[in-house]
C-alpha cells in the first residue's frame, strides 16, 4: 500500500528541512550533554534531571522520525505548473465571508503545514476542499456541521 503523499509548499519543505537539521545537529548534542551531566551526578534511580533529559531525547527522536516520514512522502507543489487563475495549494486567497460580512485572507497549504492561528488552512479541510479550483468572483458554499458557509473569492495570489 502506498503511503499518502504530503503536499507541501516550497516554504513548508524548507521549514521542515531546517527543523530536521536543527534537531539532528543541535538538539541531539544538547540532550546528550544533559544526559552525560546527569549520569555524573551518580544514582540514576532518583535523578530527575536524568529522567527529564531522557524524556526530551525521546521527544526529539520521535519528532525526527515524524519529519523524516513526512519528507519521504512529500510532494512539493510546483507553482509554475499551477493555473494562476484558479485556487490551489500554495495560494494566498482573499475571500468575503457572508455570515460575518468580512473579508478574510487564507493560505491554502498541505495538511502538514496547516495552522489556523497563522491563517493557513489545509487543502483537505472542508473550506480548503471547497475553495480549490475556484476562480475570482466565484461564490463557494461549504457544508459544515454548524451549517452552510458562503464565501466569495476576491483575490488569488501565488507564493505563500
Amino acid at each position: 500500500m502506498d503511503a499518502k503523499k504530503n503536499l507541501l509548499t516550497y516554504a513548508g519543505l524548507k521549514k521542515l528541512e531546517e527543523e530536521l537539521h536543527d534537531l539532528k545537529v543541535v538538539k541531539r548534542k544538547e540532550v546528550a550533554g544533559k544526559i552525560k551531566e546527569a549520569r555524573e551526578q551518580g544514582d540514576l534511580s532518583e535523578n530527575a534531571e536524568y529522567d527529564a533529559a531522557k524524556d526530551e531525547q525521546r521527544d526529539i527522536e520521535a519528532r525526527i522520525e515524524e519529519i523524516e516520514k513526512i519528507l519521504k512522502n512529500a510532494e512539493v507543489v510546483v507553482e509554475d505548473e499551477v493555473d494562476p487563475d484558479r485556487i490551489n495549494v500554495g495560494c494566498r486567497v482573499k475571500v468575503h465571508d457572508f455570515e460575518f460580512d468580512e473579508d478574510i485572507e487564507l493560505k491554502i497549504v498541505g495538511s502538514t503545514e496547516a495552522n489556523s492561528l497563522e491563517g493557513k488552512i489545509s487543502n483537505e479541510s472542508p473550506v480548503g476542499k471547497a475553495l480549490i479550483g475556484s476562480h475570482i468572483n466565484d461564490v463557494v458554499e461549504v457544508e459544515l456541521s454548524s451549517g452552510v458557509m458562503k464565501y466569495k473569492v476576491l483575490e488569488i495570489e501565488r507564493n505563500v
Side-chain angles (χ1 to χ4, degrees), residues 62-139:
R63 181 64 180 152
I64 287 171
E65 189 177 322
E66 180 184 5
I67 293 172
E68 286 176 339
K69 188 175 174 185
I70 290 168
L71 293 176
K72 181 180 168 198
N73 296 308
E75 185 175 308
V76 179
V77 176
V78 181
E79 294 176 24
D80 298 343
E81 297 173 5
V82 177
D83 182 348
D85 298 324
R86 297 176 81 97
I87 296 174
N88 206 325
V89 174
C91 290
R92 178 174 286 130
V93 186
K94 191 174 195 176
V95 295
H96 181 77
D97 182 334
F98 287 101
E99 182 178 354
F100 295 103
D101 193 31
E102 66 181 359
D103 294 349
I104 54 176
E105 199 171 278
L106 303 168
K107 297 170 195 137
I108 311 293
V109 296
S111 59
T112 55
E113 294 176 74
N115 183 336
S116 59
L117 298 175
E118 295 177 7
K120 294 179 178 179
I121 64 167
S122 167
N123 62 316
E124 297 174 12
S125 69
V127 175
K129 278 183 187 175
L131 288 172
I132 295 283
S134 299
H135 297 87
I136 291 177
N137 293 324
D138 283 357
V139 175

